[in-house]
Amino acid sequence: MKLLLTLAMWLSAWCLHAQAERDIIYLKDGSIYKGDITEYIPNNHAIIKLLDDRIIVVQADQIERMAIGKDDIIKKNFDIKQKGYFHNSMIGPQWGKSKYGNTDVNFAYNTVNGYRIKNHHIGLGLGMEKHSGNWYVPIYADYSYHILKGHISPIVGINGGLMQPLNKSTGSEYDFTKGSFMGGRIGFVAYSNPHFAFLLNFTYRYIHLSGAEYSRNLSWNETYDVSGSARLHRLGITMGFVIN
């Protein structure tokens, strides 16, 4: 009798322990599923076998978090904002041939502020870049598209606008008074939380600078006026962040 009582107590304790160690899926609407998780694919779905032997498939966008037993958190999910304001900041090198065939390498800093609608990002950009010896402020329209809806996604984008020189003209062949550009990029975005992501872009820009008015001296002490321009191609790598 004593042996039976001991076995019964051990079996009850084991059952309680097994029940406590069941997997749990917490849904965003407050519901829970308790049982054994048999499959989990991040950003896709989870499959759980419930205590009554039913098998449930739960989509990732329904899941708040999942746990094994009491402590082991498999997933803490978050949603990326699908509509509203965003800010990008990016910095990195650009390189390409100068007007006279030399290789120029300069750093560029750009920011974009705009509005997001699902995977579409439309905004206005402002920055600071150096070309042909002078500093310019690009002022431009920018569009990018996030190809996937997950926390990590490839992106593609295009932009174009004006290049405003900062230095005043001193009559040099490099003192371009106006400019414009158009370009594109491909890259990746990786969200660490609903409001912050890291950016990596590979960029291309075609830049047209013009309006450099200067004089040339002739051998017999005469001068003539020249109007200079430059057509530049620039490749670049930029790293930065997104704030939603």
Side-chain angles (χ1 to χ4, degrees):
M1 185 68 180
K2 186 176 181 181
L3 179 59
L4 291 175
L5 181 60
T6 301
L7 289 173
M9 292 177 64
W10 179 86
L11 183 61
S12 298
W14 181 85
C15 290
L16 289 173
H17 175 76
Q19 185 177 10
E21 294 301 320
R22 293 292 190 181
D23 303 335
I24 303 175
I25 297 179
Y26 298 86
L27 303 184
K28 293 179 180 178
D29 64 5
S31 305
I32 66 170
Y33 289 127
K34 191 170 186 179
D36 295 312
I37 296 173
T38 60
E39 181 177 273
Y40 169 56
I41 299 178
N43 299 319
N44 195 314
H45 72 272
I47 298 176
I48 185 169
K49 184 178 180 180
L50 302 181
L51 301 180
D52 60 4
D53 291 332
R54 287 183 297 154
I55 296 177
I56 302 294
V57 179
V58 186
Q59 299 302 316
D61 58 4
Q62 298 177 291
I63 300 172
E64 176 64 29
R65 64 186 180 93
M66 300 193 300
I68 295 178
K70 297 179 180 179
D71 304 315
D72 188 11
I73 303 298
I74 297 176
K75 175 183 179 183
K76 189 171 180 61
N77 195 21
F78 60 83
D79 290 328
I80 301 170
K81 185 173 67 174
Q82 296 298 302
K83 184 182 293 186
Y85 165 82
F86 75 89
H87 168 86
N88 294 352
S89 283
M90 296 157 285
I91 189 170
Q94 292 187 105
W95 62 89
K97 296 294 184 180
S98 69
K99 179 180 177 181
Y100 294 104
N102 300 321
T103 299
D104 285 339
V105 179
N106 293 294
F107 275 82
Y109 172 73
N110 284 272
T111 66
V112 177
N113 292 278
Y115 196 81
R116 171 179 185 164
I117 302 176
K118 295 185 178 179
N119 291 19
H120 303 273
H121 292 65
I122 303 172
L124 295 176
L126 189 68
M128 183 80 70
E129 301 179 5
K130 191 175 183 181
H131 302 286
S132 297
N134 284 343
W135 286 98
Y136 294 85
V137 175
I139 305 170
Y140 57 96
D142 187 274
Y143 169 80
S144 64
Y145 180 76
H146 292 207
I147 296 173
L148 303 178
K149 295 182 179 180
H151 299 164
I152 299 176
S153 173
I155 59 176
V156 294
I158 57 174
N159 50 36
L162 303 177
M163 303 284 288
Q164 179 65 37
L166 288 181
N167 297 342
K168 294 183 178 180
S169 177
T170 58
S172 165
E173 59 185 313
Y174 295 107
D175 288 335
F176 303 109
T177 58
K178 55 187 176 181
S180 60
F181 81 93
M182 59 183 299
R185 66 185 181 276
I186 59 173
F188 294 90
V189 61
Y191 281 88
S192 60
N193 63 58
H195 305 292
F196 185 86
F198 294 96
L199 275 176
L200 174 65
N201 286 318
F202 300 92
T203 65
Y204 165 78
R205 282 191 176 182
Y206 168 74
I207 301 169
H208 180 239
L209 304 175
S210 61
E213 304 290 342
Y214 59 100
S215 298
R216 288 285 193 187
N217 291 322
L218 300 177
S219 58
W220 49 85
N221 294 325
E222 293 184 6
T223 63
Y224 65 96
D225 295 330
V226 180
S227 179
S229 63
R231 293 173 173 83
L232 308 175
H233 300 272
R234 292 289 182 264
L235 298 176
I237 300 174
T238 62
M239 295 179 289
F241 59 87
V242 181
I243 297 177
N244 281 324

